[in-house]
Amino acid sequence: MPRMLAEVPTDAPERDSVFTWQAEGSTQPELQDDGTDALQPYLRLAVHGSIWLTCQRCLAPYSQHLDVDATYRIVATEEEADEFPLDDDEIDVIVGSRQFDLVDLIEEELLLSLPLVPKHSVCPEVHESLLSNSAGDAEEVADEAGEDEKPNPFAVLEKLKGSDPDGKKH
Ligand SMILES: [Zn+2]
């Protein structure tokens, strides 16, 4: 699910999210325009799992649990989908086919279930003073080590000058 993966921060402890899902088809007899009953297919989809997101409060990755429970009225054509009143919040209408992409629908529903502002319910405490102190120490140590090990470029030149004429002598 590439669109879901795009939501996962690169510094997340795990980038492979596993979702469990269940899809169940059913039919309900419905009265048609011509007065007869016909079986209307429905699909019920449930998805559960967790995804790593970036907390918008402390900017650290955290694991967000996602739950999807949706029911779809499956119709044959776009025209039929347009006929169905859209004031029903409980049921979505989708145009079904034999090559129906269930993973695509699962990803769509998971994207819709993402929180608008992802954040920890309670952010973990971050000791910023401690973090900046330890970073400063590391920098100082690196500087000192660099000065000690840096060879003097003029000393190297002197060495080359000295050895070059010797090397050409026969
Ligand atoms: Zn947070």
Side-chain angles (χ1 to χ4, degrees):
M1 295 192 279
R3 286 179 295 161
M4 280 297 278
L5 191 60
E7 301 290 329
V8 179
T10 48
D11 57 345
E14 256 184 304
R15 301 212 76 212
D16 288 329
S17 301
V18 176
F19 294 96
T20 57
W21 59 271
Q22 198 176 10
E24 192 181 25
S26 64
T27 53
Q28 267 182 41
E30 282 181 11
L31 192 65
Q32 304 298 296
D33 290 340
D34 62 4
T36 61
D37 270 354
L39 290 175
Q40 170 62 47
Y42 281 87
L43 173 71
R44 173 126 187 240
L45 176 68
V47 191
H48 307 283
S50 296
I51 184 175
W52 286 92
L53 296 173
T54 300
C55 172
Q56 295 305 298
R57 198 156 42 196
C58 70
L59 299 178
Y62 77 105
S63 183
Q64 170 72 49
H65 190 78
L66 300 177
D67 282 308
V68 169
D69 191 347
T71 305
Y72 307 92
R73 178 190 168 96
I74 298 182
V75 297
T77 61
E78 291 285 349
E79 290 73 34
E80 215 179 319
D82 292 340
E83 279 174 28
F84 195 73
L86 288 169
D87 55 2
D88 195 333
D89 286 339
E90 300 287 304
I91 300 174
D92 287 325
V93 182
I94 49 174
V95 179
S97 72
R98 290 200 181 276
Q99 283 82 38
F100 180 72
D101 192 343
L102 190 59
V103 173
D104 199 54
L105 181 66
I106 290 171
E107 182 172 34
E108 195 69 43
E109 286 295 340
L110 285 172
L111 285 166
L112 288 172
S113 74
L114 289 173
L116 283 177
V117 181
K119 58 178 187 254
H120 289 106
S121 46
V122 178
C123 287
E125 258 188 88
V126 180
H127 300 280
E128 278 182 33
S129 58
L130 193 72
L131 283 175
S132 56
N133 275 349
S134 63
D137 287 349
E139 228 167 78
E140 273 171 37
V141 169
D143 280 354
E144 280 167 23
E147 270 169 37
D148 284 345
E149 286 168 20
K150 212 180 281 172
N152 186 334
F154 297 104
V156 174
L157 272 177
E158 289 299 320
K159 223 178 177 183
L160 284 172
K161 274 183 193 167
S163 64
D164 211 20
D166 284 347
K168 278 174 186 171
K169 272 181 188 168
H170 292 286

